[in-house]
Amino acid sequence: MLTTILVASVLLGGAYALMAMGLTLQYGVARIMNLASGETLMGAAFGSFCLFTALQIGPLLSLVLIVPLAFAINWAIYRWLLSPLVRRAKNQGMLEVDSILATFGLLFVIEGAMLAGFGGNYYSYSFLAQPVTLLGHSFGLNRVVAFGVAALVALGLYFGLNRTRYGTAIRAVAVDPVAAGLVAIDVPRAAAFAFALGSALTACGGSLLSMFLTFNASMGVVFTMKALIIVIMGGVGDPRGAVIAAFLLALVETLVAALVDPGLTLAATYLLFVLTLLFRPQGLMGRRA
Amino acid sequence: MIFPMQRREVIAVAASMAALALLAGLPLADDGFWLALAITIASYVAMATAWALFSGPTNYVSLATAAFFGSGAYVVSALAETAPWPVVLVAAAVVGALLALATGLATLRLSGMYFVIFSFGLAELIRQLVTYYQTQFTGSVGRYIFVTISAAEIYWQLLGLCAIGLFAGWAINRSRLGFALRVIGDDETVAAHSGIDTARAKVLLFSISGALIALVGAVMAPRFTYIEPQIAYNPMVSFQVVIMALLGGAKRLWGPLVGVIPFVLLYEWIAGRFPNHTHLLLGLVFLLVVYFVPQGVSGWLEKAWRKLQGKSA
Amino acid sequence: MSDTAILSISGLSKAFGGLLAVNQISFDVHQGEIVGLLGPNGSGKTTLLNMVSGALPPTQGRVRLRGRELTGLPPHQIARAGVSRSFQLVRVLPSLTALENVMVGAVFGPDAVWGAEAEAIARALLERVGLSGRERQRPEAMTYIDQKRIELARALAADPQVLLLDEWLAGLNPTELQTGIALIESLHAEGRSILMVEHVMDAIRSLCDRCVVMNAGAKLAEGTPEQVLSNHDVIAAYLGDENA
Ligand SMILES: Nc1ncnc2c1ncn2[C@@H]1O[C@H](COP(=O)(O)OP(=O)(O)OP(=O)(O)O)[C@@H](O)[C@H]1O
Ligand SMILES: [Mg+2]
């Protein structure tokens, strides 16, 4: 029982980690708290669903289409919708309020588009649904594959950020945008890139989740909430913290769903949130200032 | 309240009383379409005013209106058959205040971001908790509400809530608490270093706001006849209240009032013409407001008025 | 620790992760005294003030005001106990008028005055810092020095027992500097106790009764301005060892 829960939560945590890393990049580098993150996730899930049912293109293949598309769309969103807010904000507080409002509006636009296209019904499709045995328990192959892909993407991101020139530039913007500008880093471009990359990661997580999850058009909020809480638990702007927190959240959720009631997973998420706020508001990895 | 009332304020108070008396007469003229519309408008005026009471001066965007509204409605469904109506209302206000208090104590010591995030998922959280409770302990998720209360009575009670909200806003504006909140909205560090207990001020005000919104939920509950978590905790309520308050301008007491009426009319029109695209279109309207009327209609009017005065002087 | 100490700081330390920004600092500020806090950039002066005003909890050590324990109290309680401050990067309240900015200090300070009385205090202080007639202006439209004046007036409006100034004279031109020094001198004359972080040597020489010099978080020297400014270690800390 315990191993089942542990393995299941690790498998689930992979997709959560992608989404949380995306959000933490967006907040840490582009300084945008993206409340429409969950809608990006659902959008990608619906995208994979459509490609699979209509054109028999499997979700792993459709990633190649959906992820770059999410990148491009969100680059445009940042350029046309969000950077005007960055320019008009007189201080960080104003930008925070404006970006919260703008992405909150965006949330309803994307959700509204999905509702118009798909209604309120639940969707799922069957892909790699055969069981595999791990540590003596059987799990859906789709979950295992999704986790594998998530792990690969996360590793790629880690190397990209830490071992490449542009990755270093992005991290520099996260630490201090003014100083980064002084050493000839194109800060607005790095912010747009980070925002787009963040959404691409989220979309990747969405496509992977769609392989084994039943979803509908209004589920975005719950996922945004999970990702936000993971980001806070991990320490804002810290991708390593986000990964650890993602697995922790997945574990608590899986435990609650298995031992108490599947209807209480959001309550479990909030419980973690409140504990973090009360005891470690700087996040698991953050140092107390 | 030590500052003496200014003449302008006396006029404003007298005018509001007269307007209120006039509005209260509406059910005598019509009890169909117009009364229904007036009820919708009054409920949103009360909620948007209560929302702006807290979010206006502090710049803390609360996305949790539906949580308070729904909880008020649920108090009615739980108590209406056993307790007299005034007791039900008091209970709803207390529940709303407690919910705000809990949210506030968890988040308002920290920066605004935590508050926004907490409020963002709050309605969904409580919706799940209520659903869980009902499936576990009462067997059915929905409930019928049997309260004999006429539409006109609902309307009058909503008008009362609007008046209470506006009066509370006016009184707070003149008080030390209101002054403290303006300082907090500008710079929390300065506020704290000047001797303001920022967490206390925010929690206090958020509780007042939460109690008022829960009261609106309670008064509106009989209109639903049947309530279930999906209806009571509809995220659309949070969304609409924010957009109305912003459209009108959350920095001024009369701002939300100006925002609600055009928006409710627009909403009715959109919902009638494009029932399948309501969500999408409202989202677009929201973005338009955020981008093009950041100070709200009231801020815009005030600026125009000042310009006009500048010219004539 | 003498009996006349109004503010006494003992063994105060602050660690940011592995960095010891303030290391075991102890000194007193006496009634009516101006104490200068000196030190090269990054030596921990602002961090020390932050611990006194409650912006940061100390890692170790104590802060007392007339014997009353302030250590670990939140900033609003410390402010109400009678400690006011200015900030290194000036902080004014943009949506409040100049008058309201200053009233904040009086309304929420130890005396908690309200209404006409608070307004009168604020008016008098605006006049004192040289801003009379500009009560209704918003600080956004004001110059840097005027914003600094507002900040000082706001701190004074609380009628504090100890005033903390973080490089209040920095960034002023020579004429403004003379005005600024005269203003602080007048506070000295009326017997205010002030702890001021300062780099401007003229100001330190003419204003401070005593100086504490910090370097890399630790206390390097303490004494009259002449004493510390001729101190070998202090010169070395400011200019690098080879110049000493
Ligand atoms: N909140 C913080 N978190 C981490 N490190 C900090 C923090 N505040 C200050 N520091 C570090 O502590 C050290 C002391 O900084 P502090 O601002 O107190 O110096 P200072 O003496 O006021 O310098 P300056 O003359 O430049 O104002 C510096 O190395 C600084 O980088
Ligand atoms: Mg400093």
Side-chain angles (χ1 to χ4, degrees):
Chain A
M1 180 74 184
L2 206 63
T3 27
T4 328
I5 290 174
L6 271 175
V7 177
S9 52
V10 167
L11 295 180
L12 183 64
Y16 284 5
L18 283 190
M19 191 186 172
M21 284 191 303
L23 204 64
T24 207
L25 259 181
Q26 294 181 325
Y27 189 66
V29 182
R31 304 287 193 268
I32 301 282
M33 164 78 68
N34 185 6
L35 293 183
S37 173
E39 277 59 37
T40 308
L41 186 92
M42 297 324 296
F46 274 109
S48 289
F49 171 81
C50 288
L51 287 171
F52 185 75
T53 48
L55 303 171
Q56 279 80 47
I57 298 176
L60 295 178
L61 198 59
S62 66
L63 276 181
V64 183
L65 202 70
I66 288 174
V67 171
L69 189 68
F71 186 93
I73 294 176
N74 283 281
W75 182 288
I77 287 180
Y78 185 83
R79 266 290 140 97
W80 303 114
L81 221 57
L82 299 174
S83 69
L85 298 180
V86 177
R87 268 180 263 126
R88 93 175 180 198
K90 290 195 193 114
N91 53 49
Q92 179 62 25
M94 258 180 84
L95 177 60
E96 214 151 76
V97 171
D98 271 352
S99 66
I100 283 165
L101 292 175
T103 56
F104 190 54
L106 201 60
L107 176 173
F108 275 78
V109 173
I110 305 176
E111 189 188 353
M114 291 190 294
L115 278 173
F118 299 92
N121 306 332
Y122 282 85
Y123 291 82
S124 68
Y125 59 95
S126 162
F127 174 75
L128 297 181
Q130 60 265 43
V132 285
T133 310
L134 279 182
L135 302 174
H137 297 271
S138 84
F139 298 93
L141 179 59
N142 45 23
R143 284 177 188 258
V144 179
V145 170
F147 173 78
V149 175
L152 279 180
V153 171
L155 273 177
L157 178 76
Y158 179 82
F159 280 106
L161 283 179
N162 286 288
R163 295 288 149 81
T164 65
R165 242 179 104 76
Y166 202 57
T168 311
I170 296 219
R171 283 187 300 132
V173 176
V175 174
D176 188 340
V178 178
L182 292 178
V183 295
I185 293 171
D186 184 349
V187 176
R189 185 160 170 265
F193 181 83
F195 187 84
L197 182 63
S199 288
L201 286 169
T202 304
C204 182
S207 288
L208 294 177
L209 279 174
S210 77
M211 290 164 49
F212 57 89
L213 220 66
T214 306
F215 50 92
N216 81 357
S218 0
M219 267 165 72
V221 173
V222 176
F223 283 102
T224 309
M225 210 49 220
K226 287 176 186 172
L228 287 168
I229 290 171
I230 291 170
V231 167
I232 289 177
M233 254 171 29
V236 176
D238 183 344
R240 285 168 313 155
V243 172
I244 297 174
F247 287 111
L248 197 63
L249 182 87
L251 176 65
V252 170
E253 255 187 42
T254 317
L255 273 174
V256 168
L259 305 178
V260 192
D261 190 294
L264 289 180
T265 51
L266 188 65
T269 312
Y270 257 88
L271 185 67
L272 275 182
F273 188 25
V274 171
L275 291 176
T276 309
L277 290 180
L278 293 182
F279 298 109
R280 275 196 84 78
Q282 75 276 32
L284 294 174
M285 307 285 288
R287 288 192 303 230
R288 190 173 286 276
Chain B
M1 286 187 262
I2 296 172
F3 287 131
M5 252 206 247
Q6 292 176 346
R7 225 185 100 209
R8 247 181 59 196
E9 282 182 310
V10 177
I11 296 172
V13 170
S16 331
M17 302 282 241
L20 203 66
L22 201 69
L23 285 172
L26 183 124
L28 308 177
D30 179 89
D31 58 0
F33 173 78
W34 294 107
L35 182 57
L37 187 65
I39 286 180
T40 310
I41 290 179
S43 72
Y44 278 110
V45 167
M47 285 196 283
T49 304
W51 184 89
L53 217 55
F54 173 74
S55 295
T58 58
N59 288 328
Y60 279 55
V61 181
S62 163
L63 305 176
T65 307
F68 297 104
F69 180 86
S71 301
Y74 256 93
V75 168
V76 174
S77 89
L79 297 182
E81 281 160 44
T82 48
W85 187 241
V87 175
V88 175
L89 289 185
V90 170
V94 169
V95 167
L98 288 179
L99 187 58
L101 191 69
T103 307
L105 289 179
T107 60
L108 288 174
R109 297 173 301 124
L110 307 165
S111 87
M113 185 185 74
Y114 299 96
F115 172 78
V116 175
I117 293 174
F118 199 95
S119 76
F120 180 62
L122 191 62
E124 181 64 17
L125 168 72
I126 296 178
R127 190 183 69 74
Q128 289 193 5
L129 288 177
V130 169
T131 310
Y132 171 76
Y133 176 83
Q134 290 193 320
T135 41
Q136 287 288 308
F137 302 103
T138 64
S140 75
V141 172
R143 277 188 87 116
Y144 285 94
I145 296 185
F146 301 105
V147 186
T148 42
I149 181 167
S150 71
E153 282 170 319
I154 289 181
Y155 172 69
W156 285 323
Q157 291 181 9
L158 288 173
L159 273 188
L161 289 177
C162 293
I164 291 174
L166 288 169
F167 176 77
W170 174 77
I172 290 169
N173 276 345
R174 298 162 53 88
S175 72
R176 296 166 62 95
L177 177 61
F179 193 38
L181 287 160
R182 286 173 59 205
V183 180
I184 293 171
D186 268 2
D187 190 330
E188 284 212 46
T189 308
V190 169
H193 281 88
S194 305
I196 296 172
D197 187 342
T198 54
R200 189 171 151 264
K202 286 183 283 181
V203 171
L204 189 64
L205 200 70
F206 191 50
S207 304
I208 297 175
S209 166
L212 270 172
I213 297 172
L215 276 170
V216 177
V219 173
M220 287 295 280
R223 299 279 292 173
F224 291 133
T225 22
Y226 177 77
I227 87 169
E228 57 176 12
Q230 289 286 14
I231 302 173
Y233 295 98
N234 180 358
M236 211 55 187
V237 173
S238 306
F239 180 71
Q240 292 195 43
V241 166
V242 177
I243 187 174
M244 290 174 192
L246 289 179
L247 176 61
K251 295 276 179 208
R252 287 156 196 83
L253 193 53
W254 51 280
L257 194 69
V258 192
V260 169
I261 298 169
F263 187 83
V264 167
L265 297 178
L266 180 73
Y267 178 83
E268 297 284 321
W269 183 73
I270 290 179
R273 275 297 294 278
F274 311 100
N276 292 325
H277 297 85
T278 318
H279 232 81
L280 179 64
L281 292 172
L282 288 183
L284 289 174
V285 172
F286 188 103
L287 286 177
L288 289 178
V289 172
V290 172
Y291 281 89
F292 299 108
V293 227
Q295 303 298 312
V297 176
S298 65
W300 182 77
L301 283 175
E302 227 164 64
K303 215 191 250 167
W305 173 244
R306 242 183 271 141
K307 239 186 219 157
L308 212 73
Q309 275 185 324
K311 266 198 199 117
S312 66
Chain C
M1 243 158 281
S2 75
D3 297 341
T4 61
I6 182 155
L7 180 73
S8 81
I9 292 170
S10 48
L12 210 57
S13 301
K14 180 74 195 178
F16 293 114
L19 171 80
L20 204 52
V22 173
N23 185 2
Q24 296 283 339
I25 299 280
S26 306
F27 65 89
D28 290 345
V29 177
H30 301 279
Q31 175 66 51
E33 193 183 29
I34 297 190
V35 175
L37 188 56
L38 280 55
N41 291 117
S43 54
K45 306 175 299 286
T46 299
T47 307
L48 184 85
L49 286 200
N50 281 342
M51 286 190 283
V52 176
S53 75
L56 292 172
T59 313
Q60 235 183 55
R62 307 170 62 182
V63 179
R64 271 163 302 168
L65 183 74
R66 290 221 155 100
R68 179 181 162 194
E69 194 71 55
L70 296 186
T71 324
L73 291 183
H76 69 268
Q77 284 182 18
I78 292 179
R80 284 183 202 163
V83 178
S84 292
R85 72 171 291 177
S86 76
F87 294 89
Q88 185 167 350
L89 294 172
V90 68
R91 298 183 92 129
V92 285
L93 303 163
S95 74
L96 271 59
T97 63
L99 187 71
E100 288 171 327
N101 258 279
V102 180
M103 279 170 65
V104 171
V107 169
F108 301 105
D111 301 332
V113 294
W114 179 241
E117 196 183 340
E119 226 180 283
I121 292 173
R123 256 175 225 290
L125 281 167
L126 276 176
E127 183 172 347
R128 174 147 191 205
V129 299
L131 289 176
S132 54
R134 303 177 59 184
E135 287 82 1
R136 298 179 63 93
Q137 275 187 18
R138 282 179 207 280
E140 268 181 317
M142 293 185 170
T143 58
Y144 187 64
I145 175 158
D146 288 345
Q147 295 192 353
K148 288 204 150 196
R149 287 175 157 148
I150 289 189
E151 208 185 24
L152 179 63
R154 182 177 70 213
L156 287 172
D159 191 14
Q161 302 195 36
V162 176
L163 180 62
L164 311 174
L165 299 178
D166 197 348
E167 302 196 21
W168 191 75
L169 295 165
L172 306 187
N173 68 33
T175 346
E176 291 168 346
L177 187 63
Q178 287 318 311
T179 326
I181 291 178
L183 188 56
I184 296 183
E185 186 49 50
S186 77
L187 298 177
H188 196 192
E190 68 179 32
R192 291 227 174 260
S193 318
I194 301 176
L195 174 58
M196 58 189 263
V197 173
E198 204 46 74
H199 283 305
V200 182
M201 288 302 161
D202 285 351
I204 295 166
R205 285 215 176 80
S206 62
L207 290 173
C208 297
D209 300 301
R210 222 149 39 82
C211 291
V212 172
V213 187
M214 289 176 72
N215 187 31
K219 186 161 95 177
L220 194 60
E222 180 171 355
T224 63
E226 289 72 36
Q227 283 168 351
V228 299
L229 292 178
S230 57
N231 181 309
H232 209 262
D233 295 335
V234 173
I235 297 168
Y238 268 96
L239 300 176
D241 286 321
E242 61 276 18
N243 290 302

